[in-house]
Amino acid sequence: MKRIVIAIDGYSGTGKSSTAKEVAAKLGYKYIDSGAMYRAVTYYFLQEQISSDETVKIKSKLEEIELDFSLDENGDSVICLGGVKVENEIRTPEISERVSAFAAVPAIRRKLVGLQNSFGLRKGIVMDGRDIGTVVFPEAELKVFMTADLKVRAKRRLIELENKRLKTELSGVEINLIERDKKDTTRVDSPLTKAEDAVEIDTTDLTFQEQVDKIVTIAKELIRE
Ligand code: CDP
């Protein structure tokens, strides 16, 4: 059967990652969370006490960074930094606050886009992020652009963080989503934008299952062609 690449982009907290993961599971595809890669790199530089404007230091350290994905005890794909799982460490409010500044650094994007391209070589992949349909896989057979009302996004993200026992408040979550959207859409290198040929899905009034089904239905039509 034909195997395709599915690129899912969109604003912060629109449910891209959970949707992409479920779409991949339904199709028997590999799921790659590109945002986790930017978060892990941010975590690494914060540990090294290097800030996003120290580009010379960033460039000299980038080679050392080893990123990979492995499976956790539930069989979920989780990011590893230097062979160590850092899934919880990269979801903290501190990383959410700093990640968009690191993600705007061209040298970091070059390294991560190179890795993302290599993951897609064998097709049969669902990747979510901000520039997947525009920069990482401009030839992807299916591109999806997800949006949702800000208040709905903030509430969903708060529940997600509470489930992970990461203490935070709704107002802080909402401010973080607004700030990241602003930084991600206005940066010079690979800003978040909808690819011309992307299918837009507004998830404000959709259930999780409905948004997954929409994408799976389109994907199956393309796979059958
Ligand atoms: O919180 P959410 O799941 O929506 O975001 P994420 O996918 O974990 O991505 C975190 C941050 O990484 C984004 O706000 C972007 O600054 C950056 N990112 C990016 O620049 N390009 C990507 N392909 C993925 C993420």
Side-chain angles (χ1 to χ4, degrees), residues 4-9 123 125 127 132-144 195 197-198 222:
I4 64 170
V5 171
I6 303 177
I8 303 185
D9 290 300
K123 302 254 182 172
I125 186 174
M127 191 179 289
I132 311 305
T134 51
V135 175
V136 181
F137 297 126
E139 308 296 331
E141 288 84 350
L142 174 55
K143 299 179 187 176
V144 176
D197 49 349
L222 291 168

Side-chain angles (χ1 to χ4, degrees), residues 72-132:
D72 70 4
E73 55 283 358
N74 304 318
D76 285 332
S77 161
V78 289
I79 187 109
C80 294
L81 179 64
V84 179
K85 294 187 181 101
V86 289
E87 184 59 29
N88 290 334
E89 290 80 349
I90 64 163
R91 306 286 166 194
T92 62
E94 190 192 4
I95 301 293
S96 295
E97 261 164 44
R98 309 285 298 270
V99 60
S100 291
F102 282 96
V105 177
I108 293 180
R109 300 206 72 81
R110 267 199 303 279
K111 175 173 172 116
L112 298 196
V113 170
L115 272 169
Q116 289 152 9
N117 284 151
S118 67
F119 291 140
L121 285 179
R122 280 184 292 156
K123 302 254 182 172
I125 186 174
V126 184
M127 191 179 289
D128 80 301
R130 302 292 185 290
D131 60 342
I132 311 305

